[in-house]
């Protein structure tokens, strides 16, 4: 697939509590660039319609907020819509909705959540905490799979690296090496995707497994 990015990525900010967010069509479309060929097809596999009002309500509920102030759409990725929900009290959470081309329905989202939890809780690698999620579009009011997670309050390393001293740089490299050591220390007799057992075969017990 060949893509030609001819326009700057657009992020959408819309304020206020009573707005019908479902009327903002760009939330659901691919708006990052243009396609050299097969434009209609490439846009269709990155178009996902869902109830933004309901997703915003769930985002607010996930942090115990009664109101949200605005929604911002991050620049489109190839496989997901990513949104920043800012609450009236200033709290922020990130919402993620997969495009049709993201992978197998249910399993892709379920595996992503399980992997984030494994990396964070078992391997000790910093990763956003999942606050709410659903991998079954037909069983939730949003009408799409979604993940709502905490927004990590940090800055990108590339923005700070040039201003850092050699000792601070060395500490960061050591930390990264430590994470890699943790990843390599984990082994399995199987290969595939991590999931919770209750998301694969309807077991009542919900434990991490490798599919």
């Amino acid at each position: 697939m060949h893509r030609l990015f001819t326009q700057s990525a657009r992020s959408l900010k819309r304020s206020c509590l009573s707005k019908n967010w479902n009327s903002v069509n760009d939330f659901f479309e691919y708006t990052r660039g243009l396609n050299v060929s097969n434009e209609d097809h490439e846009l269709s596999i990155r178009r996902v319609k869902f109830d933004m009002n309901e997703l915003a309500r769930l985002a607010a509920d996930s942090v115990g907020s009664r109101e949200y102030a605005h929604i911002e759409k991050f620049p489109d990725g190839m496989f997901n819509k990513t949104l920043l929900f800012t609450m009236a009290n200033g709290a922020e959470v990130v919402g993620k909705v997969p495009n049709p081309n993201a992978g197998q329905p249910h399993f892709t989202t379920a595996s992503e959540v399980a992997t984030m939890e494994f990396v964070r809780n078992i391997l000790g690698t910093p990763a956003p905490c999942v606050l709410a999620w659903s991998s079954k579009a037909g069983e939730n009011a949003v009408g799409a799979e979604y993940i709502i997670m905490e927004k990590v309050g940090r800055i990108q390393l590339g923005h700070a690296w040039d201003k850092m001293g050699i000792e601070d740089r060395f500490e960061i490299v050591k930390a990264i090496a430590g994470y890699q050591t943790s990843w390599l220390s984990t082994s399995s007799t199987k290969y595939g995707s991590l999931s919770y057992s209750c998301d694969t075969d309807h077991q009542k017990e919900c434990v991490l497994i490798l599919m």
Side-chain angles (χ1 to χ4, degrees), residues 155-165 169:
I155 62 172
Q156 294 183 32
L157 181 59
H159 294 164
W161 186 259
D162 291 341
K163 302 175 183 177
M164 297 172 62
R169 292 184 182 185

Side-chain angles (χ1 to χ4, degrees), residues 114-127 175 178-187 194 208:
T115 302
M116 290 174 67
E117 293 294 292
F118 177 78
V119 166
R120 182 170 171 269
N121 296 325
I122 305 301
L123 299 184
T125 302
Y179 297 143
Q180 291 177 325
T181 299
S182 176
W183 303 338
L184 292 171
S185 68
T186 303
S187 61
L194 278 172
L208 278 170

